[in-house]
Amino acid sequence: MSKPKVYFTKEITPEKLVEMYKILNKPLKGKIGIKVHSGEKGNQNYLRPNFFKPIVEHLNGTIIECNTAYPGARNYTDKHKALMDDHEWTKYFKVDILDAEGPDITLEIPNGIAIKKNYIGKNTKNYDSALVIAHFKGHAFGGYGGALKQLSIGFGSSRGKTYQHTAGVTDDQNKFFQNLCGDKTFKETMADAANSVVNFFKGNMAFINVMKNISIDCDCDGNAKKPCMKDIGILSSTDPVALDKACIDLIYNSDDPGKKELIERIEKKLGPHIIECSVQLGTGCADYELVNID
């Protein structure tokens, strides 16, 4: 069995984003959702809407997002819509908050490592395929945030995010912080949830990670630290596991002294365990071929 290909370019432009999708030679069909991170209020590192204009126009896609589970500007639909306006997503694109109203879709995970079900917004059923674009950076709970984080926490409804962060103890948003699970278990729930979303789309997905504004903190943090490393590039693949592994390898192999801070965050939170679990679940492969693109 051949290794999945991960394509890599050092050039970070809106036009290159389109090229890195096209090179996958996997045309997405039907109604296409483009999953991004809308950026928490106060966050300075998230990728701005104008960066996505060419790819959204190329696919005639809809920007899709989900509400959060923790207090902030995106935990309820009315606030999230207002922030999407403030951040100018709605100025350029059709925007769909997938869990804007219930009931959620329940995805069964019979072979789940830590959880046996996941909750995603009901509007997800309206999409035939999805392009998942992750801003690769650190994450306070996950260690790092890439394609697998976008598939798990990113696609989770408010209820689903709570269920994942508590390893199935509760789906009550109001009990989110009282029931947070441990670092190892959380990576297992993320892997389970990511696998359920990949299965939901039946392979009709493509993945891009953008290694720009690389902070140890996520775009969900309104007080995120400034980037600790120089920009690295854009990577794309049809395999989300291979894609995340390639990004982590680029971090470790970098000569940027700022990598020390990010690696400490990744390792302290057991970030690579989500990759190990995702391989176990069959979501993808961690052994890949890196293809450099000029």
Side-chain angles (χ1 to χ4, degrees):
M1 185 176 178
S2 60
K3 298 177 183 179
K5 287 183 170 63
V6 177
Y7 298 93
F8 169 60
T9 179
K10 294 180 181 179
E11 184 180 337
I12 305 177
T13 65
E15 294 73 25
K16 204 68 175 181
L17 192 65
V18 177
E19 183 181 335
M20 294 301 284
Y21 162 73
K22 287 181 176 179
I23 203 167
L24 296 175
N25 194 28
K26 184 181 175 123
L28 297 175
K29 299 176 181 179
K31 188 173 182 181
I32 302 170
I34 301 177
K35 179 68 180 73
V36 301
H37 197 303
S38 55
E40 184 56 65
K41 184 176 181 179
N43 184 277
Q44 77 277 23
N45 298 323
Y46 74 96
L47 302 176
R48 302 307 196 261
N50 54 9
F51 180 74
F52 297 92
K53 283 185 69 178
I55 189 65
V56 175
E57 291 169 359
H58 175 72
L59 293 173
N60 189 27
T62 299
I63 292 292
I64 56 175
E65 251 287 34
C66 300
N67 293 320
T68 61
Y70 52 84
R74 302 183 302 136
N75 59 334
Y76 292 103
T77 299
D78 55 345
K79 291 195 293 181
H80 199 171
K81 284 182 176 178
L83 189 68
M84 295 288 262
D85 291 342
D86 290 343
H87 283 181
E88 298 191 330
W89 292 101
T90 52
K91 176 181 178 180
Y92 300 109
F93 312 121
K94 295 178 290 185
V95 172
D96 186 0
I97 297 175
L98 299 178
D99 60 331
E101 54 186 32
D104 287 343
I105 298 169
T106 302
L107 303 181
E108 301 295 335
I109 317 172
N111 297 319
I113 299 169
I115 54 174
K116 301 299 181 183
K117 59 184 176 181
N118 182 33
Y119 300 108
I120 62 175
K122 73 173 182 60
N123 291 356
T124 315
K125 70 179 185 301
N126 298 329
Y127 295 88
D128 302 295
S129 55
L131 174 62
V132 178
I133 305 177
H135 175 206
F136 191 93
K137 67 285 181 192
H139 191 278
F141 293 126
Y144 80 92
L148 293 170
K149 183 258 182 184
Q150 273 283 54
L151 285 165
S152 54
I153 305 172
F155 268 93
S157 62
S158 288
R159 182 185 183 191
K161 287 178 173 66
T162 302
Y163 197 78
Q164 289 177 50
H165 280 82
T166 66
V169 171
T170 182
D171 58 11
D172 184 346
Q173 233 178 302
N174 297 315
K175 299 178 181 178
F176 179 87
F177 286 109
Q178 298 97 303
N179 295 280
L180 292 174
C181 62
D183 290 327
K184 182 175 182 288
T185 302
F186 182 50
K187 306 312 165 303
E188 293 164 357
T189 69
M190 289 174 70
D192 290 337
N195 180 260
S196 74
V197 173
V198 168
N199 289 339
F200 177 84
F201 278 99
K202 297 179 173 63
N204 297 312
M205 305 187 91
F207 307 92
I208 298 176
N209 282 355
V210 182
M211 302 186 78
K212 177 180 173 65
N213 301 342
I214 307 170
S215 168
I216 66 167
D217 292 320
C218 181
D219 297 343
C220 57
D221 190 334
N223 295 294
K225 285 193 174 184
K226 293 179 180 179
C228 61
M229 296 184 67
K230 294 178 181 178
D231 296 345
I232 294 177
I234 300 175
L235 295 90
S236 64
S237 183
T238 57
D239 185 319
V241 181
L243 182 60
D244 277 8
K245 181 62 164 57
C247 290
I248 287 179
D249 288 345
L250 284 172
I251 296 290
Y252 275 81
N253 294 327
S254 170
D255 59 5
D256 189 327
K259 72 178 185 180
K260 182 176 183 292
E261 189 178 9
L262 181 56
I263 289 172
E264 285 176 354
R265 168 60 59 88
I266 291 171
E267 293 183 349
K268 181 179 180 181
K269 292 296 179 179
L270 309 180
H273 189 50
I274 187 177
I275 292 175
E276 297 165 358
C277 293
S278 294
V279 170
Q280 178 182 334
L281 290 164
T283 305
C285 180
D287 190 14
Y288 61 90
E289 176 187 351
L290 190 68
V291 182
N292 288 288
I293 304 297
D294 294 332

